[in-house]
Amino acid sequence: MDTQNTYNKPVTYKNIFKFAMPTIAMSVFMSFYTMVDGLFVSNFIGTNALSAINLTAPVIQLVTAVSTMLATGGSAVIMKKMGEQKPKEAREDFTFLILVNVTAGFLMCLLGYLVMEPLFEKMMLSAEVAGYCTSYLSCYLLFTIPILLMNNFTLYMIASEKAALSLLCSVTGGVLNMVLDYVFIALFSMGIEGAAIATGLGYSVTAVVGLFVFGNKKNLLYFTRPAFRFKVLSGAAANGCSEMATAMVTGIITMMFNWTMLHYVGENGVAAVTIIMYVLMFASSLYTGYSYGVAPMISYYYGEKNSEKLKKIINSSLKIIAAISAATAAASFAAAKPLVTVFARPDNPVYSLAVTGNQICTLALLFIGFNIFASGAFTALSNGIVSAVLAFSRSFVFMLITMLILPAFLGINGIWLATPAAELMALALSAGMFVKYRRMYLG
């Protein structure tokens, strides 16, 4: 198989989008069918059940954090070796890291079952919401290993020039999830357990297909006899630690949002936060998909020491993200009421909270894309430390500062302003890091 054709093409907007569009579409679609979960739950079960999904999100994010680290960091390490013309080592490392993920998935599943009940007890929730939380998470955790394999195979398919197949798997899994949501919730009245099972089965599609894809030796990456190299594991962990930090810290910040909302508004506030998170996640998926799409190119060009192509793809990417940021912010602000109406009717107290929150949080969309790309770019350049600093500062340090200060002075509006303020602070740090390391990578 000639693996050089794609990476040897000129870095033009056309070729960048040709490489990245499948991952953008995949990321957008995955966020869309996550929103559909919320749509079915809020309309067929109620906003209390919708609150429960958000309350379980921190546990899910903590459970998948290790896999996220190994997937993103491992992809950078492996594609760098491909660029260095070491395909045998890359395939051995790939197989080894997949086995590590399976082991981690089993351990994370056990950890999830151990922490969920004590966590929900400390939140002082109503009996109804607490019951929804336990029911949803108990079913979701059964699919931990398939979900972790999905996280890995998605990125490795992209790196193996099979982004279209990865997109097809995501679309198939998403359609399956939506169909099963209707069947389990609307027809069979399985409640929130049905939503969790539908999600798990939808995610499992990529995991199953990936086993067949990477079992075929005609592909760029395939399973082979693994070689245990501690340096590879530590390198993958170091490169991907920013993504792990993001996942873990997102869980912690989500808990802070929930607790703050419970303090100021109650469980209706948690439901409003959930709706706004869906909207932000849908818009942010454009940036995430783009960053994942171009990351293998950045890693490859870095491996072959092609500073000219590196400079071109990074400069072009910043212009693309600027255009996407302006468009998504304008669309989110203009469509605030219609978006919220999908989840809560105007006579529901959650509605007015969510509309106001969405209009304020939309400001964050002007900055999020640059911050996501900056962290992803440094990961692809095998500079996990800088990537981790960016991700940790953005997701935790700046969010913690804004969450502690703004609500104290501005009340509920301070909660909504916390995200845009934190993203703006992160943007300043990202710009500083690009300037500092520009000569090192771009000459």
Side-chain angles (χ1 to χ4, degrees):
M1 178 179 179
D2 184 4
T3 63
Q4 299 299 308
N5 290 337
T6 298
Y7 294 102
N8 273 352
K9 289 180 179 178
V11 179
T12 62
Y13 286 113
K14 179 180 178 181
N15 288 336
I16 290 173
F17 275 112
K18 187 175 181 180
F19 203 93
M21 278 306 296
T23 61
I24 294 173
M26 175 186 62
S27 184
V28 169
F29 191 81
M30 289 178 68
S31 68
F32 175 72
Y33 76 72
T34 300
M35 290 177 66
V36 171
D37 268 352
L39 176 64
F40 276 100
V41 168
S42 61
N43 284 279
F44 286 95
I45 307 175
T47 52
N48 278 345
L50 184 64
S51 299
I53 290 180
N54 190 22
L55 291 165
T56 60
V59 178
I60 293 171
Q61 287 158 344
L62 290 171
V63 165
T64 59
V66 172
S67 175
T68 302
M69 172 187 70
L70 294 174
T72 54
S75 176
V77 169
I78 289 167
M79 290 314 296
K80 181 173 181 288
K81 284 194 175 183
M82 283 291 186
E84 295 169 342
Q85 305 305 313
K86 299 176 182 177
K88 183 175 182 295
E89 282 189 27
R91 290 164 188 143
E92 291 171 347
D93 296 341
F94 162 69
T95 307
F96 165 60
L97 290 175
I98 291 298
L99 292 175
V100 171
N101 269 274
V102 171
T103 303
F106 178 74
L107 295 176
M108 293 298 102
C109 178
L110 292 179
L111 178 62
Y113 279 109
L114 289 174
V115 304
M116 65 176 177
E117 288 194 9
L119 177 64
F120 298 142
E121 287 176 3
K122 290 180 180 179
M123 290 185 179
M124 305 294 291
L125 304 171
S126 66
E128 181 184 18
V129 173
Y132 282 139
C133 289
T134 302
S135 297
Y136 183 83
L137 195 56
S138 295
C139 293
Y140 189 97
L141 287 172
L142 295 174
F143 297 92
T144 302
I145 291 177
I147 289 171
L148 300 195
L149 288 177
M150 180 274 296
N151 288 339
N152 281 265
F153 290 159
T154 294
L155 292 185
Y156 286 120
M157 284 183 192
I158 295 167
S160 299
E161 301 177 290
K162 292 188 177 295
L165 177 60
S166 183
L167 171 61
L168 178 61
C169 289
S170 297
V171 171
T172 303
V175 171
L176 178 64
N177 183 16
M178 288 184 276
V179 170
L180 292 180
D181 269 334
Y182 178 75
V183 171
F184 291 160
I185 299 174
L187 297 184
F188 292 169
S189 300
M190 292 174 64
I192 201 166
E193 293 94 337
I197 295 170
T199 298
L201 291 174
Y203 283 151
S204 298
V205 170
T206 302
V208 173
V209 172
L211 292 174
F212 288 98
V213 169
F214 296 113
N216 186 346
K217 293 187 177 182
K218 294 181 180 179
N219 294 316
L220 177 62
L221 290 176
Y222 54 80
F223 296 128
T224 186
R225 184 184 295 275
F228 180 86
R229 296 186 180 95
F230 181 76
K231 186 177 180 180
V232 171
L233 180 58
S234 62
N239 284 334
C241 64
S242 62
E243 281 71 20
M244 178 181 179
T246 299
M248 294 183 69
V249 167
T250 299
I252 295 170
I253 293 298
T254 300
M255 284 192 286
M256 286 184 60
F257 261 108
N258 292 338
W259 287 334
T260 305
M261 270 300 181
L262 286 170
H263 173 72
Y264 280 93
V265 187
E267 291 168 353
N268 284 335
V270 177
V273 168
T274 308
I275 294 171
I276 291 167
M277 286 178 66
Y278 281 143
V279 175
L280 286 178
M281 176 185 63
F282 184 75
S284 298
S285 64
L286 291 166
Y287 316 127
T288 303
Y290 180 83
S291 297
Y292 281 164
V294 299
M297 299 174 73
I298 293 174
S299 297
Y300 193 94
Y301 299 146
Y302 175 58
E304 69 174 4
K305 304 185 187 307
N306 193 329
S307 59
E308 183 181 347
K309 283 191 172 182
L310 267 179
K311 184 184 298 184
K312 215 165 188 179
I313 195 170
I314 289 176
N315 289 339
S316 298
S317 294
L318 292 176
K319 293 176 183 177
I320 290 169
I321 289 170
I324 296 174
S325 298
T328 54
S332 178
F333 186 85
K337 290 183 179 180
L339 286 171
V340 174
T341 303
V342 173
F343 296 93
R345 295 178 180 177
D347 59 349
N348 190 316
V350 171
Y351 176 82
S352 59
L353 284 170
V355 169
T356 301
N358 184 74
Q359 291 174 334
I360 296 174
C361 282
T362 287
L363 293 172
L365 295 177
L366 296 172
F367 319 122
I368 289 176
F370 296 102
N371 295 325
I372 290 175
F373 176 74
S375 180
F378 279 107
T379 296
L381 292 167
S382 295
N383 195 334
I385 294 177
V386 172
S387 182
V389 168
L390 292 177
F392 186 74
S393 298
R394 170 193 172 226
S395 301
F396 185 70
V397 177
F398 298 147
M399 281 298 302
L400 182 62
I401 292 171
T402 56
M403 280 293 293
L404 290 176
I405 295 176
L406 295 181
F409 290 97
L410 302 175
I412 297 174
N413 285 341
I415 300 174
W416 303 132
L417 277 171
T419 299
E423 292 291 347
L424 180 59
M425 295 164 70
L427 178 62
L429 180 60
S430 296
M433 289 298 181
F434 268 125
V435 171
K436 180 178 179 180
Y437 289 93
R438 182 179 180 86
R439 286 191 177 181
M440 178 184 293
Y441 296 111
L442 305 182

